[in-house]
Amino acid sequence: MTALAVPKLGTLTPWKRRGIFLAIGLVLVVVAPAMLSGFRLALLGKYLCFAIIAIGIDLAWGYGGMLTIGHGLFFGMGGYCMGMLLKLQEAGPGKLPDFMVWSGVEKLPALWKPFGSPVFALSAAILVPMAVAAALGALIFRRRVRGAYLAILSQALAAAFAILLIGQQGVTGGTNGLTNVTTFMGYDLNDPVNQRSVYLLIAVCLGIMYLLARQIVESRYGRVLMAVRDREDRVRFLGYNPTTVKVIAFAISAGMAGLAGALFVPVVGIISPALVGIVPSIEMVIWVALGGRGTLVGAVLGALVVNYAKTTLSEAYPAGWLYLQGLLFVVVMAFAPKGVAGIAKVLKERFGGRKVPPQPVSHQPAEAAEPAT
Amino acid sequence: MSRGQLLLEIRGLDVTFDGFRAIQALDLDVLEGELRFLIGPNGAGKTTLIDAITGLVKPVAGTVNFATRNLLQRRDFEIVRLGVGRTFQKANVFEELTVIENLDLAACFRRSLPTLFRRRKDVLPEVLEALDTVGLASYGNRPAGVLSHGQKQWLEIGMLLVQDPMLLLLDEPVAGMSKAERTKTGELLQLIAETRTLMVIEHDMDFVRRFASRVTVLHEGRILCEGGVADVQSNPMVQEVYLGRAHDRRAHEDAAVGGA
């Protein structure tokens, strides 16, 4: 009997991987807050929120083959859940949030009432997107909607959500959204100390989400998910229900986007329809595509690098960024479908000298090939 | 269930593709512990029959009872969970996964979600057993993609075995195999039939003669006859529609082997 090893964990040993994870964690949690100005730290915090979305999309798309161009929907749900809580906290007990007063709303809408409770609002920020994603997934995956159809459907939902938000001025703040969020759980968000705490919270959440996703993709369930991605019809005949397998990954993915939305509000101070509609939903997929779908590190790097580039370039050439982003997306999809992480892997195989030559298999060749039957 | 009892009972099965009746009013019984061979010329409906049993095609009429449960209203993966496993004509393993990972994937289908979210730390006993049974013990950590055609079919059979099905439906398991591989596969099927029931589609009459206990001949969507190998071979109708051609083909194959 050959040595029966535990599953391979990429090319790095577990200890090396833990070391790299801790080193990056240290940079994000200790070095970045010490080096960056409040403004830059808030920007980094925003990128880290986006990285959480990217991990979720990578789970659904990279590992589950579900191309979703509608994650703005789930991000927005999380963001609005948190936004409602913070606006209520800010207004104080029994009072209405500022934009409702301006719109002439006199009584707190029923939808808002439970969001005064932090426990409810925070759970809802994650559970509502998960529930919506699970319900959607159960409906559409069972009908074997996938590929471009899933992409279009999810995008339409994000668009519908944005339109719904705009239409309900009195409840959602309309086009403006929920703005001027100045406190978080009663702490003043203009205070640099509190700003740093929010940033640290985001960094820790990103770390936890990364580890959670890592556990998922390396588990047996992860293997089944990838098997469904590659050959759904084969997996049916192994006794798995592909709908269930996909719904789970899709719901987790949506939950991560919801969490990211909830964390986004205190660090950026606003959640609005413009942040959740079609364009942001497409951008989210681009981060993962550029970074490298099917590798979690690639997704995180993609979100960080693309958003850093966006901020930097749009400061200099506001109009140029959209074109550059589109161009990058096209080039990556055409020449490096596995993204930057895929390129890195190829380079490593070519120059790293660790490539294992394909092993010849000795067996008797078929003597009498069956005539075509 | 004990050996000799009725395991699979098909009555009045009709399968139609765009007006073409692929299976017509078919009745078939398979008993517990049988190693049944299903033969017939091309287009006789052999694969369609297996497709209908496993939920891949929906019949227009009839019943398929498996251990007293009707399979026809169930979805493909539910039928697998009831204990009916199948292979396809083309081996369909996950080539980038190792042999053990393929078997593990197949073995875990009844596990609860919480256990599925853990990493695989060791090799399950049923996986080790299947590795030995199908003769791939020394290939456990190799990617399935490097296996030969025959070994992939064995891996497919191993993936069925770890699922512990009562009934195995194999679609031409020895097609394209070498003589030695065919013999090994036949012995493997007989070994499996000691504890389970098999129905095997096969074209190669030499193979059928060596390993079949009971043969069902399909022709144009109907059962032409059924019985022991000798009975079936001596049936004039069978000779006309099938064995005549098989004799020709065997002669052709022999010539091909001789010339090689």
Side-chain angles (χ1 to χ4, degrees):
Chain A
M1 185 64 51
T2 48
L4 299 167
V6 292
K8 272 182 299 180
L9 303 165
T11 47
L12 297 174
T13 62
W15 280 109
K16 262 191 192 164
R17 288 202 326 168
R18 268 168 226 163
I20 292 172
F21 180 79
L22 281 179
I24 294 174
L26 220 60
V27 169
L28 288 180
V29 172
V30 178
V31 180
M35 306 278 290
L36 296 176
S37 69
F39 173 69
R40 293 284 161 196
L41 193 65
L43 272 181
L44 182 58
K46 184 170 87 169
Y47 303 160
L48 297 188
C49 290
F50 291 158
I52 294 176
I53 307 178
I55 291 176
I57 290 183
D58 200 17
L59 264 186
W61 183 34
Y63 292 92
M66 296 167 271
L67 174 54
T68 155
I69 317 192
H71 258 44
L73 171 66
F74 306 122
F75 173 75
M77 286 174 171
Y80 273 89
C81 286
M82 178 62 99
M84 288 196 271
L85 168 69
L86 298 190
K87 290 308 279 184
L88 284 174
Q89 283 182 342
E90 203 175 82
K95 295 204 182 110
L96 290 179
D98 47 12
F99 75 91
M100 286 190 191
V101 179
W102 305 331
S103 325
V105 176
E106 283 165 7
K107 206 169 143 277
L108 194 65
L111 175 69
W112 277 68
K113 280 190 181 132
F115 286 90
S117 145
V119 175
F120 179 88
L122 293 178
S123 328
I126 297 170
L127 296 181
V128 169
M130 288 185 85
V132 170
L136 272 175
L139 279 173
I140 59 185
F141 297 143
R142 170 139 194 193
R143 303 198 166 277
R144 306 193 190 182
V145 173
R146 52 194 141 179
Y149 299 100
L150 175 63
I152 293 166
L153 188 67
S154 58
Q155 188 169 63
L157 286 167
F161 182 58
I163 292 167
L164 179 75
L165 291 171
I166 292 171
Q168 304 296 317
Q169 175 75 35
V171 183
T172 64
T175 314
N176 295 333
L178 307 178
T179 56
N180 286 326
V181 172
T182 51
T183 63
F184 180 60
M185 305 296 159
Y187 293 99
D188 181 6
L189 284 173
N190 290 319
D191 182 342
V193 177
N194 295 337
Q195 285 174 356
R196 193 168 303 163
S197 305
V198 169
Y199 166 82
L200 289 178
L201 176 68
I202 295 170
V204 169
C205 284
L206 173 63
I208 294 171
M209 290 303 116
Y210 175 81
L211 292 178
L212 179 70
R214 179 105 266 160
Q215 174 67 31
I216 289 171
V217 301
E218 283 171 3
S219 70
R220 283 183 157 122
Y221 166 79
R223 283 254 180 269
V224 178
L225 179 66
M226 285 181 261
V228 168
R229 172 193 68 191
D230 296 337
R231 243 160 321 140
E232 181 168 335
D233 288 328
R234 179 68 182 96
V235 179
R236 292 173 181 282
F237 286 99
L238 293 179
Y240 296 98
N241 183 353
T243 306
T244 314
V245 174
K246 287 164 103 173
V247 162
I248 291 167
F250 197 55
I252 294 172
S253 171
M256 288 186 179
L259 172 69
L263 294 170
F264 177 89
V265 177
V267 78
V268 180
I270 179 173
I271 183 78
S272 76
L275 294 164
V276 309
I278 289 183
V279 174
S281 296
I282 295 176
E283 283 184 15
M284 291 168 190
V285 173
I286 292 179
W287 307 334
V288 181
L290 290 182
R293 73 189 134 117
T295 59
L296 295 171
V297 176
V300 171
L301 282 179
L304 299 185
V305 171
V306 173
N307 281 294
Y308 176 74
K310 180 181 179 179
T311 308
T312 317
L313 289 175
S314 38
E315 277 170 10
Y317 318 98
W321 168 247
L322 263 183
Y323 294 103
L324 182 65
Q325 180 174 255
L327 187 70
L328 269 177
F329 186 52
V330 171
V331 168
V332 165
M333 285 326 249
F335 299 106
K338 294 242 152 179
V340 177
I343 296 173
K345 208 176 249 179
V346 169
L347 291 179
K348 198 170 171 190
E349 274 172 16
R350 191 157 297 171
F351 300 110
R354 278 223 226 141
K355 200 174 168 188
V356 185
Q359 288 164 325
V361 186
S362 65
H363 58 84
Q364 309 96 318
E367 288 162 17
E370 190 78 356
T373 52
Chain B
M1 278 273 152
S2 62
R3 296 176 79 82
Q5 272 192 324
L6 189 60
L7 182 67
L8 182 72
E9 180 197 51
I10 299 175
R11 290 289 175 270
L13 192 71
D14 263 296
V15 178
T16 308
F17 297 122
D18 288 329
F20 170 69
R21 292 183 73 192
I23 304 266
Q24 307 184 25
L26 182 135
D27 296 343
L28 179 73
D29 288 335
V30 178
L31 304 182
E32 180 87 17
E34 265 193 89
L35 173 51
R36 171 74 64 95
F37 276 73
L38 201 57
I39 65 172
N42 292 326
K46 305 182 296 293
T47 298
T48 307
L49 176 58
I50 286 191
D51 287 350
I53 297 169
T54 54
L56 198 57
V57 302
K58 294 285 167 221
V60 289
T63 56
V64 175
N65 285 322
F66 169 70
T68 72
R69 290 192 185 87
N70 186 3
L71 296 187
L72 286 193
Q73 301 311 317
R74 293 171 200 265
R75 303 176 65 195
D76 38 22
F77 59 89
E78 291 169 339
I79 293 170
V80 174
R81 301 180 83 87
L82 285 177
V84 181
R86 74 170 289 180
T87 63
F88 293 85
Q89 279 177 26
K90 253 188 94 178
N92 215 343
V93 297
F94 293 92
E95 308 220 327
E96 59 291 352
L97 299 183
T98 67
V99 170
I100 285 180
E101 285 167 343
N102 268 284
L103 290 166
D104 189 77
L105 190 66
C108 288
F109 75 123
R110 283 191 208 282
R111 304 218 156 197
S112 66
L113 265 179
T115 59
L116 278 182
F117 275 110
R118 291 195 207 121
R119 288 196 181 98
R120 181 172 73 82
K121 293 225 168 57
D122 47 15
V123 182
L124 298 170
E126 60 263 39
V127 168
L128 283 177
E129 198 189 319
L131 267 180
D132 265 347
T133 309
V134 301
L136 291 175
S138 53
Y139 289 89
N141 287 321
R142 296 279 202 89
V146 308
L147 298 181
S148 73
H149 168 77
Q151 289 169 325
K152 281 181 191 164
Q153 280 290 2
W154 295 335
L155 176 55
E156 288 270 6
I157 294 172
M159 286 165 79
L160 285 187
L161 290 179
V162 293
Q163 299 202 311
D164 195 24
M166 282 194 272
L167 174 66
L168 288 82
L169 307 169
L170 308 182
D171 196 349
E172 299 195 37
V174 302
M177 280 189 182
S178 68
K179 279 230 167 78
E181 286 174 326
R182 282 170 191 238
T183 304
K184 209 178 146 187
T185 308
E187 285 161 1
L188 173 62
L189 297 187
Q190 285 183 329
L191 179 72
I192 294 170
E194 285 174 13
T195 49
R196 301 170 203 278
T197 312
L198 291 105
M199 186 156 78
V200 182
I201 294 180
E202 198 39 72
H203 269 296
D204 178 0
M205 282 308 295
D206 281 333
F207 187 76
V208 173
R209 268 191 290 274
R210 276 186 71 185
F211 296 105
S213 55
R214 205 171 161 77
V215 179
T216 299
V217 186
L218 271 182
H219 180 52
E220 293 179 349
R222 298 171 201 270
I223 289 181
L224 197 64
C225 77
E226 197 173 291
V229 182
D231 302 338
V232 166
Q233 273 188 299
S234 60
N235 185 314
M237 281 198 301
V238 175
Q239 285 173 355
E240 194 188 323
V241 304
Y242 187 75
L243 290 180
R245 277 195 247 167
H247 277 300
D248 291 346
R249 202 177 64 199
R250 201 145 44 82
H252 172 77
E253 272 176 30
D254 288 345
V257 172

